[in-house]
Amino acid sequence: MGEKNNLGHNIRVHGTARTTPPVTQALDAMIKKEAGSIKIITLKGVPVYLHWSFPAAGLVLYIFAKFAIPETIYYCIAFTFLIILHEIGHATVAHYQGLKVFSIKFSGAGGLCKTESPKSFIAAILFASAGIFIQIVILLSTVLYLRVIGNPNSVFGKCLAITFIYANAAMVILNLIPQKRHRQNYGTDGYLLWKLTSNRIFSRSYVFPDTSATLSPKTQLTQLEGYMPQAFKTGIEILNDNNTTMEFVVSTLKIHMEISQEEAIAIMVDIHTKGGILIPFPSYEKACDVAIAITSDAKSNGYRIICRAVNVQQPL
């Protein structure tokens, strides 16, 4: 889906929709999967996911640092607070810029806030640096507090102070290192800032660093590893492209698949980041009807979205 588009500003809301149970169950499983994560809450329409590595980080800290259990818990609480505030920083800036926030995910290594792309250089710089800015404010505030008030007496206070200074500083440095994570199709905050700044220095037109994955139109997802849902037999295949807007994808999925906006956004994000998706349907006939409807709708709106019915029991 093209990152230059205005998803979230005026997404059309249609009447209450109902899906057949098999499709609904498949979509629920797809949303909960989110690359090894589970959805723990939805805040103002934004799903929040927790990766399996999040609690594992505390276990590693306990084993290798050899802290007592209470200290380990305190450090984990403080670290969690840092990650949450970092991602809240990104989400808040995106919200005030009028950008759609798709999801927030927390893991043992940090967090990830998926949003619509900023529309200008300044907006992108503010978005990319928001999390680091929040962390620097916490670090300086903690140092100032210790200088004025003094060292805390409680174990929890000491763990909090150490985390907010030393672990926080390490996280800021790591975040500032430009690193593109190819398998996840996104980069560190430093990567975004470096790409944005280098584009400006060399007078390139504004382009937000691409986080999408695009496959060849001839790609058959049933032949690629990691795309086939469990027990998949028939359904539709949708491939990502650089022409179709995110807003249109969400809207057309809601209409023709008769699903909620949250489900449509979850599918759209999956298409955008993975390059394509297979969605199970109870029958090949139903899959054909939906694929034809989506393709026709896209063509009439000037988009080239690739959506086709798939049946693994017969050639495509």
Side-chain angles (χ1 to χ4, degrees):
M1 282 47 289
E3 294 233 7
K4 59 186 178 181
N5 309 303
N6 298 319
L7 175 65
H9 294 301
N10 294 297
I11 293 180
R12 297 184 295 275
V13 179
H14 302 273
T16 302
R18 296 181 180 178
T19 51
T20 55
V23 178
T24 301
Q25 292 169 7
L27 291 173
D28 286 342
M30 183 190 308
I31 294 171
K32 290 178 181 178
K33 183 179 178 181
E34 182 67 10
S37 305
I38 59 172
K39 186 175 70 173
I40 56 175
I41 194 173
T42 299
L43 299 174
K44 294 185 177 180
V46 179
V48 178
Y49 297 94
L50 188 67
H51 192 261
W52 65 266
S53 64
F54 196 74
L59 181 61
V60 170
L61 186 66
Y62 173 71
I63 294 174
F64 291 97
K66 296 182 179 179
F67 290 128
I69 291 179
E71 289 178 310
T72 302
I73 294 174
Y74 296 154
Y75 279 120
C76 288
I77 291 173
F79 184 67
T80 299
F81 190 61
L82 276 178
I83 296 175
I84 290 174
L85 286 181
H86 180 102
E87 300 309 324
I88 286 178
H90 288 306
T92 300
V93 170
H95 174 74
Y96 279 103
Q97 290 180 2
L99 305 177
K100 178 67 180 179
V101 179
F102 300 128
S103 66
I104 299 175
K105 182 169 72 173
F106 299 110
S107 69
L112 177 63
C113 179
K114 293 182 180 179
T115 72
E116 177 193 9
S117 297
K119 303 303 184 293
S120 69
F121 173 76
I122 297 300
I125 288 292
L126 291 174
F127 170 76
S129 59
I132 293 175
F133 175 77
I134 292 293
Q135 287 186 244
I136 292 175
V137 169
I138 294 174
L139 190 153
L140 296 178
S141 299
T142 305
V143 171
L144 181 61
Y145 177 88
L146 294 179
R147 283 187 175 274
V148 175
I149 306 299
N151 294 326
N153 296 319
S154 67
V155 176
F156 178 70
K158 292 178 181 178
C159 293
L160 206 65
I162 291 173
T163 303
F164 284 1
I165 294 177
Y166 298 105
N168 191 7
M171 286 175 61
V172 170
I173 293 172
L174 290 174
N175 258 311
L176 285 173
I177 298 175
Q179 180 184 4
K180 176 68 182 293
R181 301 173 185 175
H182 295 283
R183 292 186 65 183
Q184 289 85 8
N185 295 303
Y186 65 90
T188 61
D189 294 339
Y191 168 79
L192 296 179
L193 292 169
W194 174 76
K195 290 289 290 185
L196 290 165
T197 304
S198 62
N199 285 341
R200 176 54 62 95
I201 291 174
F202 293 103
S203 300
R204 302 189 186 106
S205 59
Y206 167 74
V207 177
F208 192 74
D210 188 22
T211 59
S212 67
T214 305
L215 302 173
S216 166
K218 296 182 180 180
T219 300
Q220 296 182 358
L221 297 180
T222 54
Q223 298 180 2
L224 299 181
E225 184 179 354
Y227 287 88
M228 183 94 73
Q230 189 174 8
F232 180 88
K233 293 183 179 180
T234 187
I236 62 173
E237 174 183 64
I238 305 178
L239 301 183
N240 189 32
D241 65 82
N242 293 321
N243 166 261
T244 309
T245 66
M246 294 176 174
E247 178 182 10
F248 174 78
V249 173
V250 172
S251 179
T252 196
L253 288 175
K254 284 176 59 181
I255 296 171
H256 302 298
M257 288 185 60
E258 299 182 326
I259 58 178
S260 69
Q261 181 165 310
E262 181 181 344
E263 291 171 323
I265 288 177
I267 293 175
M268 182 280 296
V269 171
D270 234 13
I271 296 170
H272 179 77
T273 56
K274 294 174 62 178
I277 196 170
L278 286 166
I279 304 174
F281 272 81
S283 69
Y284 185 67
E285 290 73 19
K286 177 64 175 177
C288 286
D289 291 342
V290 172
I292 291 172
I294 291 176
T295 302
S296 176
D297 191 11
K299 186 176 181 180
S300 64
N301 283 276
Y303 299 121
R304 301 189 297 270
I305 189 171
I306 298 173
C307 179
R308 53 202 173 208
V310 175
N311 190 340
V312 295
Q313 298 174 334
Q314 63 183 46
L316 295 176

